Amino acid sequence: MAVTHATTVRTAIADLVVDRIDAGAGAGTLEFLTSGDVEVATLTFSDPAFGAASSGTATASAITSDTSATGGTVAKFVTKDSNGTAVFYGAVSTSGSDINLSSLSVGVGDTVAISSLTYSAPA
C-alpha cells in the first residue's frame, strides 16, 4: 500500500511549499529554462505568490509577464524566492505537463505569459 495523506495534511503541505516563494524581501519568480538550465524567460509572482490552499491545492495570484525574454527552447521551470533560492521545479511542454505553454520556442525580446498556475501537494 502506498503512503497517502489526509486532505488537511495535503492542504498544509501545499501552503508550506508555496509560502516559501514569499521568503525574502520581495516577490518570487517563475523561471523558464532550457534543458541545459539556461534562462529563457523570468516571470514575477505577486507578493504573496499564492492564496491559501484548499483540498491540497494552492492557486497563484497574478503573475507578471516577461516582456523581454532572453529566448530559447523551454524545457522546464523553477520557482524561486526573492533571494534566488529554488522552491520547486517542473516540466514544461505544450500539453500534459506541469506547465503548458502555447509554444516552447521563445524568441529574444518575446513576451512570455501564463494565465494560471496551481500547486497540488502529493496525495
Side-chain angles (χ1 to χ4, degrees), residues 40-95:
V40 175
T42 300
L43 288 67
T44 304
F45 284 106
S46 295
D47 192 6
F50 284 75
S54 176
S55 298
T57 299
T59 301
S61 301
I63 301 172
T64 302
S65 303
D66 182 341
T67 58
S68 184
T70 305
T73 302
V74 178
K76 54 190 171 181
F77 74 90
V78 59
T79 61
K80 295 182 178 180
D81 68 17
S82 65
N83 296 324
T85 302
V87 178
F88 64 90
Y89 307 82
V92 179
S93 71
T94 55
S95 67

Side-chain angles (χ1 to χ4, degrees), residues 1-122:
M1 179 172 161
V3 172
T4 59
H5 298 95
T7 300
T8 55
V9 174
R10 288 184 63 233
T11 299
I13 291 169
D15 280 333
L16 176 80
V17 171
V18 299
D19 287 352
R20 296 305 311 148
I21 296 170
D22 298 327
T29 58
L30 170 63
E31 295 182 15
F32 290 106
L33 308 167
T34 66
S35 60
D37 293 329
V38 176
E39 183 260 344
V40 175
T42 300
L43 288 67
T44 304
F45 284 106
S46 295
D47 192 6
F50 284 75
S54 176
S55 298
T57 299
T59 301
S61 301
I63 301 172
T64 302
S65 303
D66 182 341
T67 58
S68 184
T70 305
T73 302
V74 178
K76 54 190 171 181
F77 74 90
V78 59
T79 61
K80 295 182 178 180
D81 68 17
S82 65
N83 296 324
T85 302
V87 178
F88 64 90
Y89 307 82
V92 179
S93 71
T94 55
S95 67
S97 202
D98 299 316
I99 291 180
N100 300 310
L101 297 177
S102 58
S103 173
L104 301 179
S105 180
V106 176
V108 174
D110 283 356
T111 294
V112 177
I114 62 171
S115 57
S116 65
L117 180 66
T118 59
Y119 173 86
S120 293

